[in-house]
Amino acid sequence: GSGFEYTNLEIIEMISGYLGKEVNYRHVEDRLGHDRRYSLDCSKLIKYIPPSGLRFKLETFLQTECDAVNNGK
């Protein structure tokens, strides 16, 4: 794993801080059989995206995803 542990809300707060604006989200009920914990290997992210470029990549990704949701995709 990455060596870090965060709750979903902590990750939302981090994204909000990177973007400098509030992130809209909604709570949904847990579904039976879904994992309560996930592990990520961030070694490739750190290797290929320097910390200075992470904000740009995050903004671009989020904008693309928001556009897709708003366009019904």
Side-chain angles (χ1 to χ4, degrees):
S2 67
F4 300 99
E5 288 190 26
Y6 300 102
T7 66
N8 290 341
L9 290 176
E10 288 172 327
I11 293 171
I12 290 170
E13 289 171 4
M14 280 187 247
I15 292 171
S16 179
Y18 286 134
L19 297 177
K21 57 185 169 184
E22 186 147 342
V23 175
N24 295 321
Y25 66 93
R26 62 185 164 100
H27 290 276
V28 295
E29 242 181 85
D30 285 336
R31 292 181 285 180
L32 186 61
H34 278 218
D35 295 333
R36 293 234 178 235
R37 186 174 171 179
Y38 301 93
S39 179
L40 300 174
D41 179 357
C42 298
S43 60
K44 286 184 181 179
L45 175 68
I46 293 168
K47 183 178 177 181
Y48 293 107
I49 302 176
S52 61
L54 186 56
R55 181 178 179 161
F56 173 76
K57 294 282 187 185
L58 180 61
E59 288 174 341
T60 303
F61 171 77
L62 291 174
Q63 188 60 54
T64 301
E65 291 301 306
C66 288
D67 289 345
V69 168
N70 290 334
N71 292 323
K73 294 181 182 177

Coordinates of all heavy atoms in Angstrom, one line a residue:
G1 N 0.8 -1.2 0.0 CA 0.0 0.0 0.0 C 0.9 1.2 0.0 O 2.1 1.2 -0.1
S2 N 0.2 2.4 0.2 CA 0.9 3.7 0.1 C 1.5 4.0 1.4 O 2.4 4.9 1.5 CB -0.1 4.7 -0.2 OG -1.1 4.9 0.8
G3 N 1.1 3.3 2.5 CA 1.6 3.7 3.8 C 0.8 4.8 4.5 O 1.1 5.2 5.6
F4 N -0.3 5.2 3.8 CA -1.2 6.2 4.4 C -2.6 5.6 4.5 O -3.0 4.8 3.7 CB -1.3 7.4 3.4 CG 0.0 8.1 3.2 CD1 0.8 7.9 2.1 CD2 0.5 9.0 4.2 CE1 2.0 8.5 1.9 CE2 1.8 9.6 4.0 CZ 2.5 9.4 2.8
E5 N -3.3 6.1 5.5 CA -4.7 5.6 5.6 C -5.6 6.9 5.8 O -5.3 7.7 6.7 CB -4.9 4.7 6.8 CG -4.3 3.3 6.6 CD -4.7 2.3 7.7 OE1 -5.7 2.5 8.3 OE2 -3.9 1.4 7.9
Y6 N -6.6 7.0 5.0 CA -7.5 8.1 5.1 C -8.9 7.6 4.9 O -9.2 6.7 4.2 CB -7.3 9.1 3.9 CG -5.9 9.7 3.9 CD1 -4.9 9.2 3.0 CD2 -5.5 10.7 4.8 CE1 -3.6 9.8 3.0 CE2 -4.2 11.3 4.8 CZ -3.3 10.8 3.9 OH -2.0 11.3 3.9
T7 N -9.9 8.4 5.6 CA -11.3 8.1 5.4 C -11.7 8.7 4.1 O -11.0 9.6 3.5 CB -12.1 8.6 6.5 OG1 -12.1 10.1 6.5 CG2 -11.7 8.1 7.9
N8 N -12.9 8.3 3.6 CA -13.4 8.9 2.4 C -13.6 10.4 2.5 O -13.3 11.2 1.6 CB -14.7 8.3 2.0 CG -14.5 6.9 1.5 OD1 -13.4 6.5 1.1 ND2 -15.6 6.1 1.5
L9 N -14.1 10.9 3.7 CA -14.3 12.3 3.9 C -12.9 13.0 4.0 O -12.9 14.2 3.5 CB -15.0 12.5 5.3 CG -16.5 12.1 5.2 CD1 -17.1 12.3 6.6 CD2 -17.3 12.9 4.2
E10 N -11.9 12.4 4.5 CA -10.6 13.1 4.5 C -10.1 13.3 3.1 O -9.5 14.3 2.8 CB -9.6 12.3 5.3 CG -9.8 12.3 6.8 CD -9.0 11.3 7.6 OE1 -8.6 10.2 7.1 OE2 -8.6 11.7 8.7
I11 N -10.3 12.3 2.2 CA -9.9 12.4 0.8 C -10.7 13.5 0.1 O -10.1 14.3 -0.6 CB -10.1 11.1 0.1 CG1 -9.1 10.1 0.7 CG2 -9.9 11.2 -1.4 CD1 -9.2 8.6 0.2
I12 N -12.0 13.6 0.4 CA -12.8 14.7 -0.2 C -12.2 16.0 0.3 O -12.1 17.0 -0.5 CB -14.3 14.5 0.2 CG1 -14.8 13.3 -0.5 CG2 -15.1 15.8 -0.1 CD1 -16.2 12.9 0.0
E13 N -11.9 16.2 1.6 CA -11.3 17.4 2.1 C -10.0 17.8 1.4 O -9.7 18.9 1.1 CB -11.2 17.3 3.6 CG -12.5 17.3 4.3 CD -12.3 17.0 5.8 OE1 -11.2 16.9 6.3 OE2 -13.4 16.9 6.5
M14 N -9.2 16.7 1.2 CA -7.9 17.0 0.5 C -8.1 17.5 -0.9 O -7.5 18.4 -1.4 CB -7.0 15.7 0.4 CG -6.3 15.4 1.7 SD -5.2 14.0 1.5 CE -6.0 12.8 2.5
I15 N -9.0 16.8 -1.7 CA -9.3 17.2 -3.0 C -9.8 18.7 -3.0 O -9.4 19.5 -3.9 CB -10.3 16.3 -3.7 CG1 -9.7 14.9 -3.9 CG2 -10.9 16.8 -5.0 CD1 -10.6 13.8 -4.3
S16 N -10.7 19.0 -2.1 CA -11.2 20.3 -2.0 C -10.1 21.3 -1.7 O -10.1 22.4 -2.4 CB -12.2 20.4 -0.8 OG -12.8 21.6 -0.6
G17 N -9.2 21.0 -0.9 CA -8.0 21.8 -0.7 C -7.2 22.0 -1.9 O -6.7 23.2 -2.2
Y18 N -6.9 21.0 -2.6 CA -6.1 21.1 -3.9 C -6.8 22.0 -4.9 O -6.1 22.8 -5.5 CB -5.9 19.7 -4.5 CG -4.9 18.8 -3.8 CD1 -5.2 17.5 -3.6 CD2 -3.7 19.3 -3.4 CE1 -4.4 16.6 -2.9 CE2 -2.8 18.4 -2.7 CZ -3.1 17.1 -2.5 OH -2.3 16.3 -1.9
L19 N -8.1 21.8 -5.0 CA -8.8 22.6 -6.0 C -9.1 24.0 -5.5 O -9.5 24.9 -6.3 CB -10.1 21.9 -6.3 CG -10.0 20.5 -7.0 CD1 -11.4 19.9 -7.2 CD2 -9.2 20.7 -8.3
G20 N -9.0 24.3 -4.2 CA -9.3 25.6 -3.7 C -10.8 25.9 -3.7 O -11.2 27.1 -3.7
K21 N -11.7 24.9 -3.7 CA -13.1 25.1 -3.7 C -13.8 23.9 -3.1 O -13.2 22.9 -3.0 CB -13.6 25.4 -5.1 CG -13.3 24.3 -6.1 CD -13.8 24.8 -7.5 CE -13.3 23.8 -8.6 NZ -13.7 24.3 -9.9
E22 N -15.0 24.1 -2.7 CA -15.8 23.1 -2.1 C -16.2 22.0 -3.1 O -16.5 22.3 -4.2 CB -17.1 23.6 -1.4 CG -17.8 22.6 -0.6 CD -18.5 23.2 0.6 OE1 -18.2 24.3 1.0 OE2 -19.4 22.5 1.1
V23 N -16.1 20.8 -2.7 CA -16.4 19.6 -3.5 C -17.8 19.1 -3.1 O -18.0 18.9 -1.9 CB -15.4 18.5 -3.3 CG1 -15.8 17.3 -4.1 CG2 -14.0 18.9 -3.8
N24 N -18.7 19.0 -4.0 CA -20.0 18.5 -3.7 C -20.0 17.0 -3.7 O -19.4 16.4 -4.6 CB -21.1 19.0 -4.7 CG -21.2 20.5 -4.7 OD1 -21.2 21.1 -3.6 ND2 -21.3 21.1 -5.8
Y25 N -20.7 16.4 -2.7 CA -20.8 15.0 -2.6 C -22.0 14.6 -1.9 O -22.7 15.5 -1.3 CB -19.5 14.4 -1.9 CG -19.4 14.8 -0.5 CD1 -20.0 14.0 0.5 CD2 -18.8 15.9 -0.1 CE1 -19.9 14.4 1.9 CE2 -18.7 16.3 1.2 CZ -19.3 15.5 2.2 OH -19.2 15.9 3.5
R26 N -22.4 13.4 -2.0 CA -23.6 12.9 -1.2 C -23.3 11.6 -0.6 O -22.6 10.8 -1.2 CB -24.9 12.9 -2.1 CG -24.8 11.9 -3.2 CD -26.0 12.1 -4.1 NE -25.8 11.4 -5.4 CZ -26.2 10.2 -5.7 NH1 -26.9 9.5 -4.8 NH2 -26.0 9.7 -6.8
H27 N -23.8 11.4 0.6 CA -23.7 10.1 1.2 C -24.6 9.1 0.6 O -25.8 9.4 0.3 CB -24.0 10.2 2.7 CG -22.9 11.0 3.5 ND1 -21.8 10.4 3.9 CD2 -22.9 12.3 3.8 CE1 -21.0 11.3 4.5 NE2 -21.7 12.5 4.5
V28 N -24.2 7.8 0.5 CA -25.1 6.8 0.1 C -25.0 5.6 1.1 O -24.0 5.5 1.8 CB -24.7 6.2 -1.4 CG1 -25.0 7.3 -2.4 CG2 -23.3 5.7 -1.4
E29 N -26.0 4.8 1.2 CA -26.0 3.7 2.1 C -25.0 2.7 1.6 O -24.8 2.4 0.5 CB -27.4 3.1 2.1 CG -28.1 3.1 3.4 CD -29.4 2.4 3.3 OE1 -29.5 1.2 3.5 OE2 -30.4 3.1 3.1
D30 N -24.3 2.1 2.6 CA -23.4 1.0 2.3 C -24.2 -0.2 1.7 O -25.3 -0.5 2.1 CB -22.7 0.5 3.6 CG -21.6 1.4 4.0 OD1 -21.1 2.2 3.2 OD2 -21.3 1.4 5.2
R31 N -23.6 -0.8 0.7 CA -24.2 -2.0 0.1 C -23.6 -3.3 0.6 O -22.4 -3.3 0.8 CB -24.2 -1.9 -1.4 CG -25.0 -0.7 -1.9 CD -24.9 -0.6 -3.4 NE -23.6 -0.1 -3.8 CZ -23.3 0.2 -5.0 NH1 -24.0 -0.2 -6.0 NH2 -22.1 0.7 -5.3
L32 N -24.4 -4.3 0.8 CA -23.9 -5.5 1.3 C -22.8 -6.1 0.4 O -23.0 -6.1 -0.8 CB -25.1 -6.5 1.4 CG -24.8 -7.9 2.0 CD1 -24.3 -7.7 3.5 CD2 -26.0 -8.8 2.0
G33 N -21.7 -6.5 1.0 CA -20.7 -7.1 0.2 C -19.6 -6.2 -0.3 O -18.6 -6.6 -0.9
H34 N -19.8 -4.9 -0.1 CA -18.8 -3.9 -0.5 C -17.7 -3.8 0.5 O -17.9 -3.9 1.7 CB -19.4 -2.5 -0.7 CG -20.0 -2.4 -2.1 ND1 -20.0 -1.3 -2.8 CD2 -20.7 -3.3 -2.8 CE1 -20.6 -1.4 -3.9 NE2 -21.1 -2.7 -4.0
D35 N -16.5 -3.6 0.0 CA -15.3 -3.5 0.9 C -15.4 -2.3 1.8 O -15.9 -1.3 1.4 CB -14.0 -3.5 0.1 CG -13.7 -4.7 -0.7 OD1 -14.2 -5.8 -0.3 OD2 -13.1 -4.6 -1.7
R36 N -14.9 -2.4 3.0 CA -14.9 -1.3 3.9 C -13.5 -0.6 3.8 O -13.3 0.5 4.3 CB -15.1 -1.7 5.3 CG -16.5 -2.2 5.5 CD -17.1 -1.5 6.7 NE -18.5 -1.9 6.8 CZ -19.5 -1.1 6.8 NH1 -19.3 0.2 6.7 NH2 -20.7 -1.5 7.0
R37 N -12.5 -1.3 3.2 CA -11.2 -0.7 3.2 C -10.5 -1.1 1.9 O -10.7 -2.1 1.3 CB -10.4 -1.3 4.3 CG -9.0 -0.8 4.5 CD -8.4 -1.4 5.7 NE -7.0 -1.0 5.8 CZ -6.2 -1.3 6.7 NH1 -6.6 -2.0 7.7 NH2 -5.0 -0.9 6.7
Y38 N -9.8 -0.1 1.3 CA -9.1 -0.3 0.1 C -7.6 0.0 0.2 O -7.2 0.8 1.1 CB -9.7 0.6 -1.0 CG -11.1 0.4 -1.3 CD1 -12.1 1.1 -0.6 CD2 -11.6 -0.6 -2.1 CE1 -13.4 0.9 -0.8 CE2 -12.9 -0.8 -2.3 CZ -13.8 -0.1 -1.7 OH -15.2 -0.3 -1.9
S39 N -6.8 -0.6 -0.6 CA -5.3 -0.3 -0.5 C -4.9 0.2 -1.9 O -5.3 -0.4 -2.9 CB -4.6 -1.6 -0.1 OG -3.2 -1.4 -0.1
L40 N -4.0 1.2 -1.9 CA -3.5 1.7 -3.2 C -2.0 1.6 -3.2 O -1.3 1.9 -2.2 CB -3.9 3.2 -3.4 CG -5.4 3.5 -3.4 CD1 -5.6 5.0 -3.4 CD2 -6.1 2.8 -4.6
D41 N -1.5 1.3 -4.4 CA 0.0 1.4 -4.6 C 0.3 2.7 -5.4 O -0.1 2.8 -6.5 CB 0.4 0.2 -5.4 CG 1.9 0.2 -5.7 OD1 2.6 1.2 -5.3 OD2 2.4 -0.8 -6.2
C42 N 0.9 3.7 -4.7 CA 1.1 5.0 -5.3 C 2.5 5.1 -5.9 O 2.8 6.2 -6.3 CB 0.9 6.0 -4.2 SG -0.8 6.1 -3.6
S43 N 3.2 4.1 -6.0 CA 4.6 4.2 -6.4 C 4.7 4.7 -7.9 O 5.6 5.5 -8.2 CB 5.4 2.9 -6.3 OG 4.7 1.9 -7.1
K44 N 3.8 4.3 -8.7 CA 3.8 4.8 -10.1 C 3.4 6.2 -10.2 O 4.0 7.0 -10.9 CB 2.9 3.9 -11.0 CG 3.5 2.6 -11.3 CD 2.6 1.9 -12.3 CE 3.2 0.5 -12.6 NZ 2.3 -0.2 -13.5
L45 N 2.4 6.6 -9.4 CA 2.0 8.0 -9.4 C 3.1 8.9 -9.0 O 3.4 9.9 -9.6 CB 0.8 8.2 -8.4 CG 0.3 9.6 -8.2 CD1 -0.4 10.1 -9.4 CD2 -0.7 9.6 -7.0
I46 N 3.8 8.6 -7.9 CA 4.9 9.4 -7.4 C 6.0 9.4 -8.4 O 6.7 10.4 -8.6 CB 5.4 8.9 -6.0 CG1 4.3 9.1 -5.0 CG2 6.7 9.5 -5.6 CD1 4.4 8.4 -3.7
K47 N 6.3 8.3 -9.1 CA 7.4 8.2 -10.1 C 7.1 9.0 -11.3 O 8.0 9.7 -11.8 CB 7.6 6.7 -10.5 CG 8.7 6.5 -11.4 CD 8.8 5.0 -11.7 CE 9.9 4.7 -12.7 NZ 10.0 3.3 -13.0
Y48 N 5.9 9.1 -11.8 CA 5.6 9.7 -13.1 C 5.0 11.1 -13.0 O 5.0 11.8 -14.0 CB 4.7 8.8 -13.9 CG 5.4 7.5 -14.4 CD1 5.1 6.3 -13.8 CD2 6.4 7.6 -15.3 CE1 5.7 5.1 -14.2 CE2 7.0 6.4 -15.7 CZ 6.7 5.2 -15.1 OH 7.3 4.1 -15.5
I49 N 4.4 11.4 -11.9 CA 3.8 12.7 -11.7 C 4.4 13.4 -10.5 O 4.1 13.1 -9.4 CB 2.2 12.6 -11.5 CG1 1.6 11.9 -12.7 CG2 1.6 14.0 -11.4 CD1 0.1 11.7 -12.5
P50 N 5.2 14.4 -10.8 CA 5.8 15.2 -9.7 C 4.7 15.9 -8.9 O 3.7 16.2 -9.4 CB 6.7 16.2 -10.3 CG 6.3 16.3 -11.7 CD 5.6 15.0 -12.1
P51 N 4.9 16.1 -7.6 CA 3.9 16.8 -6.7 C 3.4 18.1 -7.3 O 2.2 18.4 -7.2 CB 4.6 17.0 -5.4 CG 5.7 15.9 -5.4 CD 6.1 15.7 -6.8
S52 N 4.3 18.8 -8.0 CA 3.8 20.1 -8.6 C 2.8 19.9 -9.7 O 2.0 20.7 -10.0 CB 5.0 20.9 -9.1 OG 5.7 20.1 -10.1
G53 N 2.9 18.7 -10.4 CA 1.9 18.5 -11.5 C 0.7 17.7 -11.0 O -0.3 17.6 -11.8
L54 N 0.6 17.3 -9.8 CA -0.5 16.5 -9.3 C -1.8 17.4 -9.3 O -2.8 16.9 -9.7 CB -0.2 16.0 -7.9 CG -1.3 15.0 -7.3 CD1 -1.5 13.9 -8.2 CD2 -0.9 14.6 -5.9
R55 N -1.7 18.6 -8.9 CA -2.9 19.4 -8.9 C -3.5 19.6 -10.3 O -4.7 19.5 -10.4 CB -2.6 20.8 -8.3 CG -3.8 21.7 -8.2 CD -3.5 23.0 -7.5 NE -4.7 23.8 -7.5 CZ -4.9 24.8 -6.7 NH1 -4.0 25.2 -5.9 NH2 -6.0 25.5 -6.8
F56 N -2.7 19.9 -11.3 CA -3.2 20.0 -12.6 C -3.8 18.7 -13.1 O -4.9 18.8 -13.7 CB -2.0 20.4 -13.6 CG -2.4 20.4 -15.0 CD1 -3.2 21.4 -15.5 CD2 -2.1 19.3 -15.8 CE1 -3.6 21.4 -16.8 CE2 -2.5 19.3 -17.2 CZ -3.2 20.4 -17.7
K57 N -3.2 17.6 -12.9 CA -3.7 16.3 -13.3 C -5.1 16.1 -12.6 O -6.0 15.6 -13.2 CB -2.8 15.2 -13.0 CG -1.5 15.2 -13.7 CD -1.7 14.7 -15.1 CE -0.4 14.6 -15.9 NZ -0.6 14.2 -17.2
L58 N -5.1 16.4 -11.3 CA -6.4 16.2 -10.5 C -7.5 17.1 -11.1 O -8.6 16.6 -11.3 CB -6.1 16.5 -9.0 CG -7.3 16.3 -8.1 CD1 -7.8 14.9 -8.1 CD2 -6.9 16.7 -6.7
E59 N -7.2 18.3 -11.3 CA -8.2 19.2 -11.8 C -8.7 18.8 -13.2 O -9.9 18.8 -13.5 CB -7.6 20.7 -12.0 CG -7.4 21.3 -10.6 CD -6.7 22.7 -10.8 OE1 -6.0 22.9 -11.8 OE2 -6.8 23.5 -9.8
T60 N -7.8 18.3 -14.1 CA -8.2 17.9 -15.4 C -9.0 16.6 -15.3 O -10.1 16.5 -16.0 CB -6.9 17.6 -16.2 OG1 -6.1 18.7 -16.3 CG2 -7.3 17.1 -17.6
F61 N -8.6 15.7 -14.5 CA -9.4 14.4 -14.3 C -10.8 14.8 -13.7 O -11.8 14.3 -14.3 CB -8.7 13.5 -13.3 CG -9.5 12.3 -12.9 CD1 -9.7 11.3 -13.8 CD2 -10.2 12.3 -11.7 CE1 -10.5 10.2 -13.4 CE2 -11.0 11.2 -11.3 CZ -11.1 10.2 -12.2
L62 N -10.9 15.6 -12.7 CA -12.2 15.9 -12.1 C -13.1 16.6 -13.1 O -14.3 16.4 -13.2 CB -12.0 16.7 -10.8 CG -11.4 15.9 -9.6 CD1 -11.2 16.8 -8.5 CD2 -12.3 14.8 -9.2
Q63 N -12.5 17.5 -13.9 CA -13.3 18.3 -14.8 C -13.9 17.3 -15.9 O -15.0 17.4 -16.3 CB -12.5 19.4 -15.5 CG -13.4 20.3 -16.4 CD -14.5 21.0 -15.6 OE1 -14.3 21.6 -14.6 NE2 -15.7 20.8 -16.0
T64 N -13.0 16.4 -16.4 CA -13.5 15.4 -17.4 C -14.6 14.6 -16.8 O -15.6 14.3 -17.5 CB -12.3 14.5 -17.8 OG1 -11.3 15.4 -18.3 CG2 -12.7 13.5 -18.8
E65 N -14.5 14.1 -15.6 CA -15.5 13.3 -15.0 C -16.8 14.0 -14.8 O -17.9 13.5 -15.0 CB -15.0 12.7 -13.6 CG -13.9 11.7 -13.8 CD -14.3 10.5 -14.6 OE1 -15.3 9.8 -14.3 OE2 -13.6 10.2 -15.6
C66 N -16.7 15.3 -14.3 CA -17.9 16.1 -14.1 C -18.6 16.4 -15.4 O -19.8 16.3 -15.5 CB -17.5 17.4 -13.5 SG -17.0 17.3 -11.7
D67 N -17.8 16.6 -16.5 CA -18.4 16.9 -17.8 C -19.2 15.6 -18.3 O -20.3 15.7 -18.8 CB -17.3 17.2 -18.8 CG -16.8 18.6 -18.6 OD1 -17.4 19.4 -17.9 OD2 -15.7 18.9 -19.2
A68 N -18.6 14.4 -18.0 CA -19.2 13.2 -18.5 C -20.5 12.9 -17.7 O -21.5 12.6 -18.3 CB -18.2 12.0 -18.2
V69 N -20.5 13.2 -16.4 CA -21.7 13.1 -15.6 C -22.8 14.0 -16.0 O -23.9 13.7 -16.2 CB -21.4 13.2 -14.1 CG1 -22.7 13.4 -13.3 CG2 -20.5 12.1 -13.6
N70 N -22.4 15.3 -16.3 CA -23.3 16.3 -16.7 C -23.9 16.0 -18.1 O -25.0 16.5 -18.4 CB -22.7 17.7 -16.6 CG -22.5 18.1 -15.2 OD1 -23.1 17.7 -14.3 ND2 -21.5 19.0 -15.0
N71 N -23.2 15.3 -18.9 CA -23.6 15.0 -20.2 C -24.3 13.6 -20.3 O -24.6 13.1 -21.4 CB -22.5 15.0 -21.2 CG -22.0 16.5 -21.4 OD1 -22.8 17.4 -21.4 ND2 -20.7 16.6 -21.6
G72 N -24.5 13.0 -19.1 CA -25.2 11.7 -19.1 C -24.5 10.5 -19.5 O -25.0 9.5 -19.9
K73 N -23.1 10.6 -19.4 CA -22.3 9.4 -19.9 C -21.9 8.6 -18.7 O -21.8 9.0 -17.6 CB -21.1 9.9 -20.6 CG -21.5 10.6 -21.9 CD -20.2 11.0 -22.7 CE -20.6 11.7 -24.0 NZ -19.5 12.2 -24.7

